[in-house]
């Protein structure tokens, strides 16, 4: 079996204590790396003005080696905050209005990708297979090919891929598309993202596809596929069962008294539809006065990317909105929205999913959305809660048992909330079983194995 090299912007290096359970993606990739032996390379998360000449930090953990590189503060500004998170992230989430183009940032993105390639190339053996992750590193294959590497290189995009008319608004779309054509396998979350990619290639006259999966562009052949990412379904279900007894979860349960709990969990990000979600909750209460003082909406929203101006503005906007609704609708003994701006421990999160009657997951656009899957896996199958899910999340392609909503349609989401809270136990069980069966098959190990099988085929 060939050795596997994984490259991602950040690397989940195990801390050796086992105290913090790693996310599903880290577990699945670590398992694949352990099986084949391998290397995981990425940014250390640290800045260092001598980054270009300093050594990689190498951590040997049995069959797996972790190699971390620092970046200069300027590199991080241009490559990470500037281009990855202020151009590619909004464009791939269909937010043309939020993309901020700067020549410096665009150049920085390509420069840092070259730097990653220079760090990686000396470590690669001829028969290694290389798996690169996400929008930060699209041009990496181009750089590695320029250095003469002929290894099999796969790429998985964790976020959506937009249609041509959206992509083409980005000044360097041509270079980005040519960069993608240098891989041997391109993995997307859904068939829709794959179709969008094929459409972009065709519209550019850069290449075409023979059977929907096999592409021809720039004199090369490569494959594309939809590989929807999963979670560790069975393990997470077990984890949530045990987490119900967690003291913080029990305390929360008591504190909501006999009210129904609705839960939302999202990084603070404009793609997650938070303002529309709060509007829908407010509308639901207005349309169902009997629900007043009978429900609590708990929104857990750790801050992210606060250095990016659009995120900073959002933080203020959502906090003000939650405060306004609480002021207008709340009573002396009832706070309708509990809005938490920090990250909470994973066992507490799992237990809260389990006691919530509704999982409210309404992104405006999302590659997959693992919160939706975690919420379902955490339920008690005998008396499960209901998932209300945006049709614009990749997860909606798989989770047919959810109540699918259009998050821009505030009335529609409010109706779905009312329906979720009054749904019969029988219907809840049927819907849950349907989703759970799919998720037990399509778990994160399945995702990892399918991608690697196609990359090595
Ligand atoms: C990207 C794509 C795609 C959140 N708050 C807390 C917490 N979380 C955990 C959740 C979940 C993860 O963070 C979020 O994953 P998502 O998939 O929902 O969203 P992104 O971060 O945007 O991820 C997405 C994903 O990549 C994988 O391919 O699904 O579409 O955008 O696991 O549980 N965890 C803890 N405390 C929190 O407060 N412990």
């Amino acid at each position: 079996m060939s050795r596997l090299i994984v490259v991602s912007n950040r690397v989940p290096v195990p801390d050796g204590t086992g105290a913090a359970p790693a996310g599903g993606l880290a577990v699945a990739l670590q398992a694949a790396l352990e099986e084949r032996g391998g290397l995981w390379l990425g940014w250390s998360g640290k800045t260092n003005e001598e980054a270009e000449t300093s050594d990689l930090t190498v951590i040997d953990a049995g069959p797996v080696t972790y190699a971390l590189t620092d970046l200069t503060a300027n590199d991080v500004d241009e490559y990470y905050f500037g281009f990855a998170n202020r151009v590619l992230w909004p464009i791939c989430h269909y937010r043309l209005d939020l993309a901020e183009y700067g020549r410096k940032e665009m150049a920085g993105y390509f420069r840092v990708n070259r730097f990653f390639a220079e760090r990686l190339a000396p470590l690669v053996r001829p028969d290694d297979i290389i798996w690169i992750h996400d929008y930060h590193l699209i041009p990496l294959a181009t750089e590695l090919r320029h250095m003469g590497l002929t290894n099999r290189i796969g790429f998985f995009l964790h976020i959506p891929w937009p249609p041509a008319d959206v992509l083409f608004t980005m000044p360097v779309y041509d270079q980005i598309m040519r960069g993608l054509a240098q891989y041997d396998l391109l993995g997307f979350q859904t068939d829709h993202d794959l179709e969008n990619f094929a459409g972009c290639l065709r519209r550019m006259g850069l290449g075409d596809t023979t059977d929907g999966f096999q592409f021809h562009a720039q004199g090369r052949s490569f494959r594309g596929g939809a590989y929807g990412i999963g979670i560790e379904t069975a393990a997470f279900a077990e984890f949530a069962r045990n987490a119900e007894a967690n003291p913080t979860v029990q305390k929360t349960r008591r504190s909501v008294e006999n009210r129904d709990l609705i839960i939302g969990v999202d990084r603070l990000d404009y793609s997650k539809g938070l303002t529309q979600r709060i509007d829908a909750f407010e509308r639901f209460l207005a349309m169902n006065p009997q629900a007043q003082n009978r429900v609590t909406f708990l929104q857990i929203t750790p801050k992210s990317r606060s250095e990016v101006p659009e995120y900073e503005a959002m933080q203020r906007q959502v906090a003000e909105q939650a405060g306004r609704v609480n002021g207008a609708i709340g009573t002396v003994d009832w706070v309708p929205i509990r809005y938490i701006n920090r990250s909470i421990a994973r066992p507490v999160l799992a237990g809260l999913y389990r006691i919530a009657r509704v999982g409210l997951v309404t992104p405006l656009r999302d590659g997959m959305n693992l919160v939706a899957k975690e919420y379902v896996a955490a339920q008690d199958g005998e008396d499960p809660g209901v998932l209300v899910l945006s049709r614009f999340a990749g997860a909606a392609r798989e989770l047919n048992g959810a109540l699918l909503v259009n998050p821009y349609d505030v009335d529609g989401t409010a109706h779905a909330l009312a329906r979720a809270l009054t749904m019969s136990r029988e219907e809840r069980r049927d819907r849950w079983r349907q989703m759970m069966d799919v998720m037990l098959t399509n778990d994160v190990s399945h995702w990892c194995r399918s991608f690697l099988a196609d990359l090595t085929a």
Side-chain angles (χ1 to χ4, degrees), residues 15 74 137 141 167 185 219 249 322 337 378 406 427:
D15 65 3
N74 185 49
L137 299 173
L167 183 77
L185 176 65
V249 175
I337 305 177
N406 168 359
E427 183 176 354

Side-chain angles (χ1 to χ4, degrees), residues 51-85:
E52 279 179 29
T53 49
S54 51
D55 290 336
L56 289 169
T57 304
V58 177
I59 300 158
D60 275 311
V64 187
T65 303
Y66 297 88
L68 308 172
T69 179
D70 296 345
L71 293 174
T72 67
N74 185 49
D75 283 346
V76 174
D77 269 353
E78 294 178 357
Y79 143 83
Y80 181 72
F81 290 119
F83 190 76
N85 286 326

